[in-house]
Amino acid sequence: MTKIIIDGLGSDLGPEMVREAVELARKKLDFSAVLVGPKEVFSELVEGDDQLSLIDTREAIDNNESPALAIRRKKQSSMVLGLQALNQEGDVFLTAGSSGALLAGAYFITKRLPSFRRFALAPVLPNIHGGVLLADAGASMDSDSLLLFHFAQAASLYASQVLKKDRPKVALLNVGTEAEKGDKRSQETYTLLAASDLNFIGNVEARDIFTQDMDVLVTDGFAGNVALKSLEGTAGFILKTMKEVFLTNTKTKLGALLVKKDLKEALGKLDYRSHGGAPLLGPRKPLYKAHGNSTAETFALAIQEALAFAQSKMSERLALLGEEEGDLR
Amino acid sequence: MTKIIIDGLGSDLGPEMVREAVELARKKLDFSAVLVGPKEVFSELVEGDDQLSLIDTREAIDNNESPALAIRRKKQSSMVLGLQALNQEGDVFLTAGSSGALLAGAYFITKRLPSFRRFALAPVLPNIHGGVLLADAGASMDSDSLLLFHFAQAASLYASQVLKKDRPKVALLNVGTEAEKGDKRSQETYTLLAASDLNFIGNVEARDIFTQDMDVLVTDGFAGNVALKSLEGTAGFILKTMKEVFLTNTKTKLGALLVKKDLKEALGKLDYRSHGGAPLLGPRKPLYKAHGNSTAETFALAIQEALAFAQSKMSERLALLGEEEGDLR
């Protein structure tokens, strides 16, 4: 049975949210779990369920700490204890905690697969063809073209093995569609992707993220983060403006009443949080990042996604990939 | 009197649109102009106005040509003839034609100011504090930190001299707000900006483009282009979805009727085309790029903006800036 290690302390909503999410997930799914958090919150749940065990701790790493320092010094933090448990007995680690601390923990505790000098965070973005995996959304800076090529391989494998996409369509985020477009890194990455056995469909511009038929969008972490946050900022600003307009007066309130349901349904497709979290690609064992402000429902979804990630055994396949290629770095 | 050289052939809507725009602008503004385009379209207008003259040509450069080759080979094109006329007798050149050809023409014909190895295209993005100048939106790839610093200086000067902002607030586009965030280039650029006498307010994330109080947002052309197109794509997708929802049935059509006017007004702030075009920063003389699909009204606005750019004499000041600093490259 797949064993998931769950960080009980990372969430903005506190460990009670995590407990509720585990209860929700256990009703639907068969898995075993190690919960890392305070026994006051988790012991009752753990005692009533054979498949659950507990590592008791109260120490947390918060978003304002230096991630690398926190991982080195806070030996009793839920993140450090959880990642150590993953090394010893787990199949996947899930946290809603600090992304920076997860990254630092991945480097220092989980360690890297041979081909991954750095990691890619790969959330699913909204897209009318059923979502697109953005790799990297900002986990690594100054990635070179070979690393981006490895991100593409890992993301393509994730899209096929975990998201069940058939022969995933891989695109490169660029400033134009022609092969020679972009900076030197993009041009080199294009060449590597075009020569590979991935299903590479070419360059895609940021304006086509929602509409282009693709499964994976490869980019370095800086541009990926800019694309993601520009999308979030724009969507957030428009939806906020729309709500304000709807509340202007009696007339607009009535109008809003008539369009609200259909609008909500149509724009629901846009919600990049329809997934519970995102995988970190590159560490030796599967690490899964849930949103810091996850509700119990979305965190339960993240548990399900993290289990699917672990069950795909794709880390083992990625490790082989590195060996087949020899030392590419 | 300020003399503007106008490319009569670059627009998607044909030279007639340019003629109409010049007529509109002449009714409001005092300027002289050289129109570069076919005499069948422009001669009647030019003959009736002392301040207008004509360079007759039918040759155009289109968006599908290699820009550098086209600039070298098409000696009778409106772009080449227009840029040559700028060197000889003009104060500013305006085109709705190929951005690539304008860039190539800027390198080969207009030439560079001392501190600008490459150029920045600087459109005004929507922002609740009155617009923000994005430099660079994609004119240059592989810019280094020193070039980005010079883009910041040029954009700050443009914001104060042309857009009349008092002591412009300059921000750096980054993946987080802390000083040490981002790739090496961003960290270096941060250091240069922080040490300068610009009104540097620090890093800004792409999600805050609409809401952060700033006048200039500095970024390399790759990330700038990604930010801009992600914004365009998201806004376009939401507005299209909203329109479709409004047309679903009688109920939604009625609802739409009640909210439409207020919604249009509120979201009008979002239109990044509320400006007629964008300056290219770095060439020896002012070059101004209008949208390819400009209407006569927006192209007339671009004429007004291009004139303001020329009247600011900021190219002369930027040239001095290079000398004051010595050879920084």
Side-chain angles (χ1 to χ4, degrees):
Chain A
M1 196 179 304
T2 309
K3 183 181 274 191
I4 183 169
I5 317 291
I6 299 176
D7 182 351
L9 281 169
S11 150
D12 298 348
L13 300 179
E16 293 77 10
M17 179 288 284
V18 175
R19 182 183 60 198
E20 198 186 327
V22 173
E23 285 174 315
L24 283 172
R26 287 294 292 148
K27 282 181 193 154
K28 295 197 304 177
L29 300 168
D30 200 22
F31 63 93
S32 72
V34 178
L35 310 179
V36 191
K39 63 170 188 270
E40 310 86 89
V41 177
F42 293 107
S43 62
E44 197 178 327
L45 173 64
V46 167
E47 279 157 21
D49 188 331
D50 279 356
Q51 298 303 330
L52 302 182
S53 63
L54 176 68
I55 298 176
D56 178 33
T57 185
R58 257 159 220 79
E59 191 172 30
I61 294 176
D62 74 43
N63 282 309
N64 304 320
E65 297 180 79
S66 158
L69 274 184
I71 288 292
R72 284 180 188 280
R73 290 186 184 161
K74 290 190 150 177
K75 300 291 184 204
Q76 296 303 311
S77 65
S78 58
M79 185 81 83
V80 169
L81 292 175
L83 289 170
Q84 285 169 345
L86 177 67
N87 284 348
Q88 284 155 24
E89 55 169 329
D91 298 306
V92 59
F93 174 73
L94 170 65
T95 182
S98 154
S99 302
L102 178 63
L103 265 178
Y107 283 107
F108 295 128
I109 301 170
T110 315
K111 315 276 186 190
R112 305 171 293 109
L113 286 170
S115 298
F116 293 85
R117 197 178 74 256
R118 295 202 178 93
F119 307 137
L121 185 68
V124 176
L125 300 192
N127 174 289
I128 58 170
H129 302 280
V132 56
L133 202 64
L134 182 76
D136 168 26
S140 298
M141 297 289 116
D142 297 301
S143 305
D144 62 19
S145 53
L146 188 58
L147 184 60
L148 294 188
F149 174 56
H150 291 151
F151 287 170
Q153 291 180 304
S156 177
L157 197 58
Y158 188 89
S160 75
Q161 301 298 306
V162 184
L163 304 176
K164 307 298 180 195
K165 306 266 188 164
D166 187 36
R167 202 161 156 57
K169 296 184 189 74
V170 176
L172 179 66
L173 183 65
N174 208 330
V175 298
T177 54
E178 303 89 337
E180 71 279 5
K181 282 282 176 177
D183 51 12
K184 286 203 190 76
R185 174 170 56 190
S186 304
Q187 291 163 354
E188 286 173 14
T189 308
Y190 186 100
T191 305
L192 290 171
L193 289 168
S196 77
D197 56 3
L198 293 172
N199 186 11
F200 180 54
I201 61 161
N203 291 324
V204 166
E205 294 182 78
R207 69 158 64 90
D208 299 321
I209 288 177
F210 289 115
T211 51
Q212 175 71 45
D213 184 7
M214 59 182 168
D215 302 303
V216 169
L217 184 58
V218 181
T219 175
D220 87 286
F222 193 94
N225 194 267
V226 165
L228 178 64
K229 286 178 179 165
S230 177
L231 186 160
E232 277 178 40
T234 308
F237 186 78
I238 296 182
L239 298 181
K240 186 171 157 283
T241 304
M242 205 188 300
K243 276 176 198 161
E244 284 166 5
V245 166
F246 286 172
L247 293 172
T248 312
N249 54 41
T250 321
K251 185 176 137 192
T252 57
K253 279 179 193 163
L254 177 62
L257 217 62
L258 297 170
V259 296
K260 220 172 192 172
K261 191 174 145 280
D262 295 86
L263 210 50
K264 205 168 175 179
E265 203 178 293
L267 293 176
K269 282 182 254 161
L270 263 180
D271 190 0
Y272 76 106
R273 303 208 163 177
S274 58
H275 284 73
L280 198 62
L281 302 173
R284 276 197 313 111
K285 283 192 149 186
L287 306 182
Y288 206 76
K289 172 74 180 83
H291 311 297
N293 59 359
S294 297
T295 61
E297 285 72 23
T298 50
F299 198 83
L301 185 60
I303 292 174
Q304 185 176 348
E305 292 162 6
L307 290 169
F309 185 17
Q311 284 152 8
S312 73
K313 307 273 181 207
M314 63 167 275
S315 295
E316 284 87 332
R317 292 188 59 178
L318 276 184
L320 288 175
L321 195 77
E323 290 195 1
E324 280 162 19
E325 287 174 355
D327 187 10
L328 280 166
R329 276 162 301 138
Chain B
M1 195 180 303
T2 309
K3 183 182 273 189
I4 183 171
I5 317 291
I6 299 177
D7 181 352
L9 280 168
S11 149
D12 297 349
L13 299 179
E16 292 77 11
M17 180 286 285
V18 176
R19 183 183 59 200
E20 198 185 327
V22 173
E23 285 174 316
L24 283 172
R26 287 295 291 148
K27 281 180 194 153
K28 295 199 302 179
L29 300 167
D30 200 21
F31 63 93
S32 73
V34 177
L35 310 179
V36 191
K39 64 170 187 271
E40 311 86 88
V41 176
F42 293 106
S43 61
E44 198 179 326
L45 173 63
V46 168
E47 279 158 21
D49 188 330
D50 279 356
Q51 298 303 330
L52 302 182
S53 63
L54 176 68
I55 297 176
D56 178 33
T57 185
R58 257 159 220 80
E59 191 172 31
I61 294 176
D62 75 42
N63 282 311
N64 303 319
E65 297 179 80
S66 156
L69 274 184
I71 288 292
R72 282 178 189 280
R73 289 184 184 163
K74 290 189 150 178
K75 300 291 183 202
Q76 295 304 309
S77 65
S78 58
M79 185 82 80
V80 169
L81 292 175
L83 289 170
Q84 286 169 344
L86 177 66
N87 284 349
Q88 285 156 23
E89 54 170 329
D91 297 306
V92 58
F93 174 72
L94 170 65
T95 181
S98 154
S99 302
L102 178 62
L103 266 179
Y107 282 108
F108 296 128
I109 302 170
T110 315
K111 316 278 188 192
R112 305 171 292 108
L113 286 170
S115 297
F116 294 85
R117 198 179 72 255
R118 295 202 177 94
F119 307 137
L121 185 68
V124 176
L125 300 191
N127 174 288
I128 58 170
H129 302 280
V132 56
L133 203 64
L134 182 76
D136 169 26
S140 298
M141 297 289 115
D142 296 301
S143 305
D144 62 20
S145 54
L146 188 58
L147 184 60
L148 294 189
F149 174 57
H150 291 151
F151 286 169
Q153 291 179 304
S156 176
L157 197 57
Y158 188 90
S160 74
Q161 300 298 307
V162 184
L163 304 176
K164 307 296 178 195
K165 307 266 188 162
D166 187 36
R167 201 160 156 62
K169 297 184 188 74
V170 176
L172 178 65
L173 183 65
N174 208 331
V175 299
T177 52
E178 303 90 339
E180 72 280 4
K181 282 281 177 176
D183 50 13
K184 285 201 192 77
R185 174 170 55 192
S186 304
Q187 292 163 353
E188 286 172 14
T189 309
Y190 187 101
T191 305
L192 290 171
L193 289 168
S196 76
D197 56 4
L198 293 171
N199 186 9
F200 180 53
I201 61 161
N203 290 324
V204 166
E205 295 184 79
R207 69 159 64 90
D208 300 320
I209 289 178
F210 290 115
T211 50
Q212 173 72 47
D213 185 6
M214 58 183 168
D215 302 303
V216 169
L217 184 58
V218 180
T219 174
D220 88 285
F222 194 94
N225 195 267
V226 164
L228 178 64
K229 286 179 178 164
S230 178
L231 185 161
E232 277 179 40
T234 307
F237 186 77
I238 296 181
L239 298 181
K240 185 171 159 282
T241 303
M242 204 190 298
K243 276 178 198 161
E244 284 166 6
V245 166
F246 286 172
L247 292 172
T248 312
N249 55 42
T250 321
K251 185 177 136 193
T252 57
K253 279 179 193 163
L254 177 62
L257 217 61
L258 298 170
V259 296
K260 221 173 192 171
K261 190 175 146 281
D262 295 86
L263 209 50
K264 206 169 174 177
E265 203 178 292
L267 293 176
K269 283 182 255 161
L270 262 178
D271 189 0
Y272 75 105
R273 303 206 164 178
S274 58
H275 283 73
L280 198 63
L281 303 173
R284 277 197 310 112
K285 282 191 149 187
L287 305 181
Y288 206 77
K289 172 73 180 82
H291 310 298
N293 59 0
S294 297
T295 60
E297 285 72 22
T298 51
F299 198 82
L301 186 60
I303 291 174
Q304 185 176 348
E305 292 161 8
L307 290 169
F309 185 16
Q311 284 152 8
S312 74
K313 308 274 180 204
M314 64 167 275
S315 295
E316 283 88 333
R317 291 189 58 177
L318 276 184
L320 288 176
L321 196 75
E323 290 193 3
E324 280 162 20
E325 288 174 355
D327 188 10
L328 279 166
R329 274 163 300 136

